[in-house]
Short mmCIF file of all heavy atoms in Angstrom, two decimals:
data_model
loop_
_atom_site.label_atom_id
_atom_site.label_comp_id
_atom_site.label_asym_id
_atom_site.label_seq_id
_atom_site.Cartn_x
_atom_site.Cartn_y
_atom_site.Cartn_z
N MET A 1 -3.21 -7.00 27.72
CA MET A 1 -3.63 -7.70 26.52
C MET A 1 -5.13 -7.50 26.37
O MET A 1 -5.89 -7.76 27.29
CB MET A 1 -3.29 -9.18 26.64
CG MET A 1 -3.66 -9.95 25.42
SD MET A 1 -3.36 -11.75 25.46
CE MET A 1 -1.70 -11.89 25.99
N GLY A 2 -5.59 -7.06 25.20
CA GLY A 2 -7.00 -6.87 24.93
C GLY A 2 -7.58 -8.07 24.21
O GLY A 2 -6.94 -9.11 24.09
N THR A 3 -8.81 -7.91 23.76
CA THR A 3 -9.44 -8.98 22.98
C THR A 3 -9.96 -8.40 21.68
O THR A 3 -10.27 -7.22 21.58
CB THR A 3 -10.60 -9.65 23.74
OG1 THR A 3 -11.55 -8.65 24.09
CG2 THR A 3 -10.11 -10.36 24.99
N SER A 4 -10.05 -9.23 20.69
CA SER A 4 -10.58 -8.80 19.40
C SER A 4 -12.09 -8.92 19.42
O SER A 4 -12.69 -9.37 20.39
CB SER A 4 -9.98 -9.66 18.28
OG SER A 4 -10.37 -10.99 18.45
N LEU A 5 -12.72 -8.53 18.33
CA LEU A 5 -14.17 -8.58 18.25
C LEU A 5 -14.71 -10.00 18.42
O LEU A 5 -15.81 -10.19 18.92
CB LEU A 5 -14.65 -8.01 16.92
CG LEU A 5 -14.41 -6.52 16.71
CD1 LEU A 5 -14.85 -6.10 15.32
CD2 LEU A 5 -15.14 -5.70 17.76
N ASP A 6 -13.94 -11.00 18.02
CA ASP A 6 -14.41 -12.38 18.16
C ASP A 6 -14.06 -12.96 19.53
O ASP A 6 -14.30 -14.14 19.78
CB ASP A 6 -13.85 -13.27 17.05
CG ASP A 6 -12.34 -13.41 17.09
OD1 ASP A 6 -11.70 -12.84 18.00
OD2 ASP A 6 -11.80 -14.08 16.21
N GLY A 7 -13.51 -12.14 20.42
CA GLY A 7 -13.20 -12.59 21.77
C GLY A 7 -11.83 -13.21 21.93
O GLY A 7 -11.41 -13.53 23.04
N ALA A 8 -11.11 -13.38 20.83
CA ALA A 8 -9.78 -13.97 20.92
C ALA A 8 -8.81 -12.93 21.47
O ALA A 8 -8.92 -11.75 21.16
CB ALA A 8 -9.31 -14.43 19.55
N PRO A 9 -7.87 -13.35 22.29
CA PRO A 9 -6.91 -12.37 22.84
C PRO A 9 -6.02 -11.81 21.75
O PRO A 9 -5.65 -12.50 20.81
CB PRO A 9 -6.10 -13.19 23.84
CG PRO A 9 -6.35 -14.61 23.53
CD PRO A 9 -7.64 -14.69 22.77
N HIS A 10 -5.73 -10.49 21.87
CA HIS A 10 -4.77 -9.86 20.96
C HIS A 10 -3.39 -10.33 21.35
O HIS A 10 -3.05 -10.40 22.52
CB HIS A 10 -4.80 -8.34 21.10
CG HIS A 10 -5.97 -7.70 20.45
ND1 HIS A 10 -6.15 -7.70 19.11
CD2 HIS A 10 -7.01 -7.02 20.97
CE1 HIS A 10 -7.26 -7.04 18.82
NE2 HIS A 10 -7.79 -6.63 19.94
N ARG A 11 -2.60 -10.64 20.34
CA ARG A 11 -1.20 -10.94 20.61
C ARG A 11 -0.38 -9.75 20.19
O ARG A 11 -0.69 -9.09 19.22
CB ARG A 11 -0.75 -12.15 19.80
CG ARG A 11 -1.38 -13.42 20.25
CD ARG A 11 -0.86 -14.60 19.48
NE ARG A 11 -0.53 -14.23 18.11
CZ ARG A 11 0.42 -14.80 17.40
NH1 ARG A 11 1.13 -15.76 17.89
NH2 ARG A 11 0.66 -14.44 16.17
N ARG A 12 0.66 -9.49 20.94
CA ARG A 12 1.58 -8.42 20.56
C ARG A 12 2.36 -8.90 19.34
O ARG A 12 2.66 -10.07 19.23
CB ARG A 12 2.54 -8.12 21.70
CG ARG A 12 1.78 -7.64 22.93
CD ARG A 12 2.67 -6.94 23.82
NE ARG A 12 2.78 -5.61 23.25
CZ ARG A 12 3.54 -4.66 23.74
NH1 ARG A 12 4.28 -4.88 24.77
NH2 ARG A 12 3.59 -3.48 23.18
N PRO A 13 2.67 -8.01 18.44
CA PRO A 13 3.46 -8.41 17.27
C PRO A 13 4.77 -9.05 17.68
O PRO A 13 5.36 -8.71 18.68
CB PRO A 13 3.71 -7.08 16.54
CG PRO A 13 2.65 -6.17 17.04
CD PRO A 13 2.34 -6.60 18.44
N ALA A 14 5.21 -9.95 16.87
CA ALA A 14 6.44 -10.69 17.16
C ALA A 14 7.65 -9.85 16.80
O ALA A 14 8.49 -10.23 15.99
CB ALA A 14 6.43 -12.01 16.41
N LEU A 15 7.76 -8.69 17.41
CA LEU A 15 8.84 -7.78 17.08
C LEU A 15 10.18 -8.26 17.59
O LEU A 15 11.22 -7.83 17.09
CB LEU A 15 8.54 -6.39 17.64
CG LEU A 15 7.29 -5.74 17.08
CD1 LEU A 15 7.07 -4.38 17.73
CD2 LEU A 15 7.36 -5.59 15.58
N HIS A 16 10.16 -9.17 18.55
CA HIS A 16 11.44 -9.69 19.04
C HIS A 16 12.17 -10.45 17.94
O HIS A 16 13.37 -10.63 18.00
CB HIS A 16 11.22 -10.58 20.26
CG HIS A 16 10.42 -11.81 19.97
ND1 HIS A 16 9.05 -11.77 19.91
CD2 HIS A 16 10.79 -13.07 19.70
CE1 HIS A 16 8.61 -12.99 19.63
NE2 HIS A 16 9.64 -13.79 19.49
N ARG A 17 11.44 -10.86 16.90
CA ARG A 17 12.07 -11.57 15.78
C ARG A 17 12.71 -10.61 14.80
O ARG A 17 13.42 -11.03 13.91
CB ARG A 17 11.05 -12.44 15.06
CG ARG A 17 10.64 -13.63 15.90
CD ARG A 17 9.71 -14.48 15.13
NE ARG A 17 8.40 -13.84 15.14
CZ ARG A 17 7.42 -14.13 14.32
NH1 ARG A 17 7.59 -15.03 13.39
NH2 ARG A 17 6.27 -13.52 14.40
N LEU A 18 12.43 -9.33 14.94
CA LEU A 18 13.00 -8.34 14.04
C LEU A 18 14.45 -8.12 14.43
O LEU A 18 14.76 -7.48 15.40
CB LEU A 18 12.22 -7.03 14.13
CG LEU A 18 12.73 -5.88 13.28
CD1 LEU A 18 12.72 -6.26 11.81
CD2 LEU A 18 11.88 -4.66 13.50
N ALA A 19 15.34 -8.69 13.66
CA ALA A 19 16.77 -8.59 13.95
C ALA A 19 17.25 -7.21 13.56
O ALA A 19 17.28 -6.87 12.39
CB ALA A 19 17.53 -9.66 13.19
N LEU A 20 17.62 -6.41 14.54
CA LEU A 20 18.16 -5.10 14.24
C LEU A 20 19.63 -5.24 13.87
O LEU A 20 20.31 -6.12 14.36
CB LEU A 20 17.99 -4.17 15.45
CG LEU A 20 16.54 -3.84 15.78
CD1 LEU A 20 16.48 -3.00 17.04
CD2 LEU A 20 15.85 -3.13 14.64
N PRO A 21 20.10 -4.38 13.02
CA PRO A 21 21.48 -4.50 12.57
C PRO A 21 22.47 -4.40 13.72
O PRO A 21 22.27 -3.65 14.66
CB PRO A 21 21.66 -3.31 11.64
CG PRO A 21 20.32 -2.79 11.35
CD PRO A 21 19.41 -3.25 12.43
N ASN A 22 23.52 -5.16 13.62
CA ASN A 22 24.62 -5.11 14.56
C ASN A 22 25.58 -4.06 14.03
O ASN A 22 26.26 -4.27 13.04
CB ASN A 22 25.29 -6.48 14.65
CG ASN A 22 26.45 -6.47 15.62
OD1 ASN A 22 26.98 -5.42 15.96
ND2 ASN A 22 26.83 -7.64 16.05
N ARG A 23 25.64 -2.92 14.67
CA ARG A 23 26.43 -1.80 14.14
C ARG A 23 27.91 -2.12 14.07
O ARG A 23 28.61 -1.57 13.24
CB ARG A 23 26.19 -0.56 14.99
CG ARG A 23 24.77 -0.08 14.86
CD ARG A 23 24.52 1.10 15.73
NE ARG A 23 23.08 1.32 15.83
CZ ARG A 23 22.54 2.41 16.28
NH1 ARG A 23 23.29 3.38 16.71
NH2 ARG A 23 21.25 2.53 16.33
N GLY A 24 28.40 -3.00 14.92
CA GLY A 24 29.81 -3.32 14.92
C GLY A 24 30.24 -4.08 13.67
O GLY A 24 31.35 -3.94 13.22
N SER A 25 29.36 -4.89 13.10
CA SER A 25 29.74 -5.71 11.95
C SER A 25 29.03 -5.29 10.67
O SER A 25 29.08 -5.99 9.68
CB SER A 25 29.44 -7.18 12.24
OG SER A 25 28.04 -7.36 12.38
N GLY A 26 28.33 -4.17 10.71
CA GLY A 26 27.62 -3.73 9.52
C GLY A 26 26.19 -4.23 9.47
O GLY A 26 25.37 -3.69 8.78
N GLY A 27 25.87 -5.30 10.21
CA GLY A 27 24.51 -5.80 10.30
C GLY A 27 23.97 -6.36 9.01
O GLY A 27 24.68 -6.46 8.02
N ASN A 28 22.72 -6.73 9.03
CA ASN A 28 22.07 -7.27 7.85
C ASN A 28 20.77 -6.51 7.64
O ASN A 28 19.70 -6.99 8.00
CB ASN A 28 21.84 -8.77 8.02
CG ASN A 28 21.34 -9.42 6.76
OD1 ASN A 28 20.84 -8.75 5.86
ND2 ASN A 28 21.46 -10.72 6.70
N ASP A 29 20.87 -5.33 7.07
CA ASP A 29 19.71 -4.46 6.88
C ASP A 29 18.65 -5.09 6.00
O ASP A 29 17.46 -4.92 6.25
CB ASP A 29 20.13 -3.13 6.28
CG ASP A 29 20.96 -2.29 7.24
OD1 ASP A 29 20.91 -2.56 8.44
OD2 ASP A 29 21.65 -1.38 6.76
N GLU A 30 19.05 -5.82 4.98
CA GLU A 30 18.08 -6.43 4.07
C GLU A 30 17.23 -7.47 4.79
O GLU A 30 16.02 -7.54 4.59
CB GLU A 30 18.79 -7.05 2.87
CG GLU A 30 19.36 -6.03 1.92
CD GLU A 30 18.32 -5.08 1.36
OE1 GLU A 30 17.22 -5.54 1.00
OE2 GLU A 30 18.61 -3.88 1.29
N GLN A 31 17.85 -8.28 5.62
CA GLN A 31 17.09 -9.28 6.37
C GLN A 31 16.14 -8.61 7.35
O GLN A 31 14.99 -9.01 7.48
CB GLN A 31 18.03 -10.22 7.12
CG GLN A 31 17.27 -11.30 7.88
CD GLN A 31 18.20 -12.23 8.64
OE1 GLN A 31 19.41 -12.02 8.68
NE2 GLN A 31 17.64 -13.24 9.25
N SER A 32 16.61 -7.56 8.02
CA SER A 32 15.76 -6.84 8.96
C SER A 32 14.56 -6.22 8.25
O SER A 32 13.44 -6.29 8.74
CB SER A 32 16.57 -5.75 9.67
OG SER A 32 17.60 -6.31 10.42
N LEU A 33 14.80 -5.63 7.10
CA LEU A 33 13.72 -5.02 6.34
C LEU A 33 12.75 -6.08 5.84
O LEU A 33 11.53 -5.87 5.83
CB LEU A 33 14.29 -4.20 5.18
CG LEU A 33 13.30 -3.35 4.41
CD1 LEU A 33 12.52 -2.41 5.32
CD2 LEU A 33 14.03 -2.57 3.33
N SER A 34 13.26 -7.22 5.46
CA SER A 34 12.41 -8.32 5.01
C SER A 34 11.47 -8.79 6.12
O SER A 34 10.28 -9.00 5.90
CB SER A 34 13.28 -9.48 4.53
OG SER A 34 12.49 -10.57 4.16
N VAL A 35 12.01 -8.93 7.31
CA VAL A 35 11.18 -9.34 8.46
C VAL A 35 10.16 -8.26 8.77
O VAL A 35 8.98 -8.55 9.02
CB VAL A 35 12.06 -9.64 9.70
CG1 VAL A 35 11.20 -9.88 10.93
CG2 VAL A 35 12.95 -10.84 9.43
N LEU A 36 10.57 -7.01 8.72
CA LEU A 36 9.66 -5.90 8.96
C LEU A 36 8.51 -5.91 7.96
O LEU A 36 7.34 -5.76 8.33
CB LEU A 36 10.44 -4.58 8.87
CG LEU A 36 9.70 -3.32 9.24
CD1 LEU A 36 9.32 -3.33 10.71
CD2 LEU A 36 10.56 -2.10 8.93
N ARG A 37 8.82 -6.12 6.70
CA ARG A 37 7.78 -6.18 5.66
C ARG A 37 6.83 -7.35 5.88
O ARG A 37 5.63 -7.24 5.66
CB ARG A 37 8.42 -6.28 4.28
CG ARG A 37 9.04 -5.00 3.83
CD ARG A 37 9.69 -5.14 2.48
NE ARG A 37 10.17 -3.87 1.99
CZ ARG A 37 11.28 -3.71 1.29
NH1 ARG A 37 12.01 -4.77 0.98
NH2 ARG A 37 11.66 -2.53 0.90
N GLU A 38 7.38 -8.47 6.32
CA GLU A 38 6.54 -9.64 6.59
C GLU A 38 5.56 -9.36 7.73
O GLU A 38 4.37 -9.69 7.63
CB GLU A 38 7.43 -10.83 6.95
CG GLU A 38 6.66 -12.10 7.22
CD GLU A 38 7.56 -13.27 7.59
OE1 GLU A 38 8.72 -13.30 7.14
OE2 GLU A 38 7.09 -14.13 8.35
N LEU A 39 6.05 -8.75 8.79
CA LEU A 39 5.17 -8.41 9.91
C LEU A 39 4.07 -7.45 9.47
O LEU A 39 2.90 -7.59 9.85
CB LEU A 39 5.98 -7.78 11.06
CG LEU A 39 6.94 -8.71 11.78
CD1 LEU A 39 7.85 -7.92 12.72
CD2 LEU A 39 6.18 -9.77 12.56
N TYR A 40 4.43 -6.48 8.65
CA TYR A 40 3.47 -5.52 8.13
C TYR A 40 2.43 -6.20 7.24
O TYR A 40 1.23 -5.95 7.37
CB TYR A 40 4.21 -4.42 7.37
CG TYR A 40 3.32 -3.37 6.79
CD1 TYR A 40 2.65 -2.47 7.60
CD2 TYR A 40 3.14 -3.28 5.41
CE1 TYR A 40 1.82 -1.50 7.06
CE2 TYR A 40 2.33 -2.31 4.86
CZ TYR A 40 1.67 -1.42 5.69
OH TYR A 40 0.85 -0.46 5.14
N ALA A 41 2.89 -7.08 6.38
CA ALA A 41 1.98 -7.78 5.47
C ALA A 41 0.98 -8.65 6.22
O ALA A 41 -0.15 -8.82 5.78
CB ALA A 41 2.78 -8.64 4.49
N ARG A 42 1.40 -9.20 7.35
CA ARG A 42 0.49 -10.02 8.16
C ARG A 42 -0.43 -9.18 9.03
O ARG A 42 -1.26 -9.71 9.74
CB ARG A 42 1.30 -10.96 9.05
CG ARG A 42 2.00 -12.05 8.27
CD ARG A 42 2.51 -13.15 9.15
NE ARG A 42 3.22 -12.67 10.30
CZ ARG A 42 4.43 -13.08 10.69
NH1 ARG A 42 5.07 -13.99 9.99
NH2 ARG A 42 4.99 -12.58 11.77
N GLY A 43 -0.27 -7.87 8.99
CA GLY A 43 -1.12 -6.98 9.78
C GLY A 43 -0.69 -6.84 11.22
O GLY A 43 -1.45 -6.36 12.05
N GLU A 44 0.55 -7.22 11.52
CA GLU A 44 1.04 -7.15 12.89
C GLU A 44 1.61 -5.79 13.23
O GLU A 44 1.92 -5.52 14.38
CB GLU A 44 2.08 -8.24 13.15
CG GLU A 44 1.47 -9.63 13.07
CD GLU A 44 2.46 -10.72 13.44
OE1 GLU A 44 3.38 -10.45 14.23
OE2 GLU A 44 2.30 -11.83 12.93
N LEU A 45 1.76 -4.92 12.21
CA LEU A 45 2.24 -3.56 12.42
C LEU A 45 1.29 -2.59 11.73
O LEU A 45 0.82 -2.87 10.63
CB LEU A 45 3.64 -3.37 11.81
CG LEU A 45 4.77 -4.19 12.38
CD1 LEU A 45 6.04 -3.94 11.58
CD2 LEU A 45 5.01 -3.85 13.83
N SER A 46 1.04 -1.47 12.38
CA SER A 46 0.25 -0.41 11.74
C SER A 46 1.12 0.28 10.70
O SER A 46 2.34 0.11 10.66
CB SER A 46 -0.21 0.60 12.80
OG SER A 46 0.92 1.31 13.30
N ASP A 47 0.48 1.09 9.86
CA ASP A 47 1.23 1.86 8.87
C ASP A 47 2.28 2.74 9.55
O ASP A 47 3.44 2.79 9.12
CB ASP A 47 0.30 2.76 8.06
CG ASP A 47 -0.65 1.98 7.16
OD1 ASP A 47 -0.47 0.76 7.02
OD2 ASP A 47 -1.57 2.61 6.61
N ASP A 48 1.88 3.41 10.61
CA ASP A 48 2.79 4.31 11.32
C ASP A 48 3.95 3.56 11.95
O ASP A 48 5.10 4.00 11.89
CB ASP A 48 2.06 5.10 12.40
CG ASP A 48 1.11 6.13 11.81
OD1 ASP A 48 1.31 6.54 10.65
OD2 ASP A 48 0.17 6.53 12.52
N GLU A 49 3.67 2.41 12.56
CA GLU A 49 4.73 1.62 13.19
C GLU A 49 5.70 1.08 12.15
O GLU A 49 6.91 1.09 12.35
CB GLU A 49 4.13 0.47 14.01
CG GLU A 49 5.15 -0.36 14.76
CD GLU A 49 5.83 0.37 15.90
OE1 GLU A 49 5.42 1.49 16.26
OE2 GLU A 49 6.82 -0.19 16.43
N PHE A 50 5.18 0.63 11.01
CA PHE A 50 6.04 0.15 9.93
C PHE A 50 6.97 1.27 9.46
O PHE A 50 8.18 1.08 9.35
CB PHE A 50 5.19 -0.36 8.76
CG PHE A 50 6.02 -0.73 7.56
CD1 PHE A 50 6.71 -1.93 7.52
CD2 PHE A 50 6.10 0.13 6.48
CE1 PHE A 50 7.48 -2.27 6.40
CE2 PHE A 50 6.86 -0.20 5.38
CZ PHE A 50 7.56 -1.40 5.34
N ASP A 51 6.39 2.45 9.20
CA ASP A 51 7.20 3.58 8.73
C ASP A 51 8.24 3.99 9.76
O ASP A 51 9.40 4.25 9.40
CB ASP A 51 6.31 4.78 8.40
CG ASP A 51 5.46 4.57 7.17
OD1 ASP A 51 5.82 3.71 6.32
OD2 ASP A 51 4.43 5.25 7.04
N ARG A 52 7.87 4.01 11.03
CA ARG A 52 8.80 4.39 12.09
C ARG A 52 9.98 3.43 12.15
O ARG A 52 11.14 3.84 12.19
CB ARG A 52 8.08 4.44 13.43
CG ARG A 52 8.95 4.97 14.58
CD ARG A 52 8.21 4.94 15.89
NE ARG A 52 8.01 3.58 16.39
CZ ARG A 52 8.97 2.87 16.99
NH1 ARG A 52 10.17 3.36 17.17
NH2 ARG A 52 8.71 1.66 17.42
N ARG A 53 9.69 2.14 12.12
CA ARG A 53 10.75 1.14 12.21
C ARG A 53 11.61 1.10 10.94
O ARG A 53 12.81 0.89 11.01
CB ARG A 53 10.17 -0.22 12.51
CG ARG A 53 9.61 -0.28 13.92
CD ARG A 53 9.06 -1.64 14.25
NE ARG A 53 8.58 -1.66 15.59
CZ ARG A 53 9.33 -1.96 16.66
NH1 ARG A 53 10.59 -2.26 16.51
NH2 ARG A 53 8.80 -1.95 17.86
N ARG A 54 10.99 1.32 9.79
CA ARG A 54 11.76 1.36 8.54
C ARG A 54 12.73 2.53 8.55
O ARG A 54 13.90 2.39 8.17
CB ARG A 54 10.81 1.47 7.36
CG ARG A 54 11.48 1.39 6.02
CD ARG A 54 10.45 1.35 4.92
NE ARG A 54 9.41 2.34 5.17
CZ ARG A 54 9.10 3.32 4.35
NH1 ARG A 54 9.69 3.44 3.20
NH2 ARG A 54 8.16 4.18 4.67
N GLU A 55 12.28 3.69 9.02
CA GLU A 55 13.15 4.85 9.13
C GLU A 55 14.27 4.59 10.13
O GLU A 55 15.41 5.00 9.91
CB GLU A 55 12.35 6.09 9.52
CG GLU A 55 11.45 6.63 8.44
CD GLU A 55 12.22 6.99 7.18
OE1 GLU A 55 13.31 7.60 7.28
OE2 GLU A 55 11.75 6.65 6.08
N GLN A 56 13.95 3.90 11.20
CA GLN A 56 14.96 3.58 12.21
C GLN A 56 16.05 2.68 11.58
O GLN A 56 17.23 2.86 11.84
CB GLN A 56 14.30 2.88 13.40
CG GLN A 56 15.23 2.58 14.54
CD GLN A 56 14.50 1.94 15.70
OE1 GLN A 56 13.40 1.39 15.56
NE2 GLN A 56 15.10 2.01 16.86
N LEU A 57 15.63 1.72 10.77
CA LEU A 57 16.59 0.86 10.10
C LEU A 57 17.48 1.67 9.14
O LEU A 57 18.68 1.44 9.05
CB LEU A 57 15.88 -0.24 9.32
CG LEU A 57 15.37 -1.41 10.14
CD1 LEU A 57 14.51 -2.33 9.26
CD2 LEU A 57 16.52 -2.18 10.75
N LYS A 58 16.88 2.60 8.41
CA LYS A 58 17.65 3.43 7.49
C LYS A 58 18.72 4.23 8.23
O LYS A 58 19.85 4.33 7.78
CB LYS A 58 16.74 4.43 6.77
CG LYS A 58 16.01 3.88 5.59
CD LYS A 58 15.33 5.06 4.91
CE LYS A 58 14.22 4.67 4.02
NZ LYS A 58 13.55 5.84 3.44
N ARG A 59 18.32 4.81 9.38
CA ARG A 59 19.26 5.62 10.15
C ARG A 59 20.38 4.79 10.76
O ARG A 59 21.50 5.27 10.90
CB ARG A 59 18.53 6.35 11.27
CG ARG A 59 17.68 7.51 10.78
CD ARG A 59 17.21 8.37 11.92
NE ARG A 59 16.51 7.63 12.95
CZ ARG A 59 15.20 7.39 13.00
NH1 ARG A 59 14.43 7.84 12.04
NH2 ARG A 59 14.66 6.71 13.97
N SER A 60 20.10 3.56 11.11
CA SER A 60 21.11 2.74 11.78
C SER A 60 22.04 2.05 10.80
O SER A 60 23.06 1.52 11.18
CB SER A 60 20.45 1.70 12.69
OG SER A 60 19.75 0.74 11.93
N GLY A 61 21.68 2.04 9.53
CA GLY A 61 22.47 1.33 8.53
C GLY A 61 23.51 2.13 7.91
O GLY A 61 24.41 2.71 8.02
#
């Protein structure tokens, strides 16, 4: 864990809250994408990480 410029510890993004689709039941891609967008909007994901995870959701759906 690093620190930010103001000395506060960096927190890892709350990716554990990103519900990935359950392939057996069809999953909930819209909810997963919504959570992904929320994390991105809060600055918890970089552009590259957002794109990577969005593509992963597309492939799994």
